[in-house]
Amino acid sequence: MADKRYGMLFDSNRCIGCQSCSVACRAENKVPDDVYRLQVRIDGPKGEYPQLVMDFERHSCVMCEKAPCVPVCPTGASYMNKDGVNMVDSKKCVGCKYCINACPYQARFINPVTGAADKCTFCYENRVQKGEKPACVSICPTGALVFGDINDPKSEIRLALQQYTVKPKEHLGTHPKLSIIPNKRGGGQ
C-alpha cells in the first residue's frame, strides 16, 4: 500500500454554489476558456416561493482507484502516481481521447493549448507536493471541501469520512476517492 492515499470529501449541504473553487482551480492550473477541471453544477431552484431550494454538485475527476482511463492509454500518459492521484503526462499524451472515452464521469478533456488530455489532479504537482491543500479546498468559504491522506487515521479527511457518504457511480466498481455527503433534502448526487 502507498504511504499516502489522497482523497477529497464534498459536503453538498455546505456548498453555496459560489464557484470560488472553480475560479481558484482555473487560475491555479491555467485552465483555458471553454474547458474546466472542476465545475459546481447547480440544480434548481426547486419548490415554491418562499420555500425555494437549490442543490449543488461537484463535477471533476473522482480519482478512481480502479481508473478505467489508465489501462486504455496507449502511451502511458495516464497513470496513477505513488500517492494514488490519477495524473496525465502531457509530454507523453498523443491526444487519442481513449482516456476521455473510458471515463464514466466525463471528467477529462483535451486542453486546447497543449493538445493533451487534462483533468483535475488535486493540484498535486503545484500545491500538494509542497504540503499545501488543493486550490479549491483552500478557497472554499464554507468548508464544503475536505482533502487529505485517507491512510492517515488522524487526518481531517479520515475523521470527516466517518459521516455518511456516498461515492459517485459507485456501482461501476471504480472505487472513487471523492466522497460526498449527500444533500439532507434528498437531492444532489
Side-chain angles (χ1 to χ4, degrees), residues 109-171:
F109 60 93
I110 294 293
N111 186 310
V113 175
T114 65
D118 204 346
K119 61 175 223 48
C120 169
T121 60
F122 285 163
C123 295
Y124 185 82
E125 293 172 316
N126 46 344
R127 294 181 66 91
V128 172
Q129 282 186 318
K130 298 175 187 173
E132 300 171 14
K133 293 179 181 179
C136 60
V137 176
S138 67
I139 199 74
C140 181
T142 62
L145 296 170
V146 179
F147 174 81
D149 179 7
I150 299 168
N151 285 346
D152 179 356
K154 295 178 183 169
S155 69
E156 182 182 4
I157 190 159
R158 184 78 172 265
L159 298 173
L161 287 172
Q162 292 176 6
Q163 302 173 67
Y164 173 73
T165 63
V166 296
K167 305 237 183 208
K169 299 183 183 180
E170 190 169 18
H171 65 281

Side-chain angles (χ1 to χ4, degrees), residues 45-161:
K46 297 184 264 186
E48 301 221 4
Y49 181 82
Q51 302 298 320
L52 295 172
V53 296
M54 292 178 27
D55 294 319
F56 306 102
E57 176 183 332
R58 178 186 171 99
H59 182 80
S60 68
C61 178
V62 299
M63 300 297 169
C64 305
E65 296 205 43
K66 294 184 178 181
C69 56
V70 172
V72 299
C73 181
T75 65
S78 289
Y79 66 99
M80 184 182 294
N81 74 13
K82 65 180 178 62
D83 292 328
V85 178
N86 297 324
M87 304 288 288
V88 178
D89 183 340
S90 62
K91 292 179 181 110
K92 288 183 179 179
C93 181
V94 295
C96 69
K97 301 182 185 175
Y98 288 173
C99 63
I100 292 171
N101 291 328
C103 176
Y105 302 96
Q106 292 85 41
R108 289 174 169 247
F109 60 93
I110 294 293
N111 186 310
V113 175
T114 65
D118 204 346
K119 61 175 223 48
C120 169
T121 60
F122 285 163
C123 295
Y124 185 82
E125 293 172 316
N126 46 344
R127 294 181 66 91
V128 172
Q129 282 186 318
K130 298 175 187 173
E132 300 171 14
K133 293 179 181 179
C136 60
V137 176
S138 67
I139 199 74
C140 181
T142 62
L145 296 170
V146 179
F147 174 81
D149 179 7
I150 299 168
N151 285 346
D152 179 356
K154 295 178 183 169
S155 69
E156 182 182 4
I157 190 159
R158 184 78 172 265
L159 298 173
L161 287 172

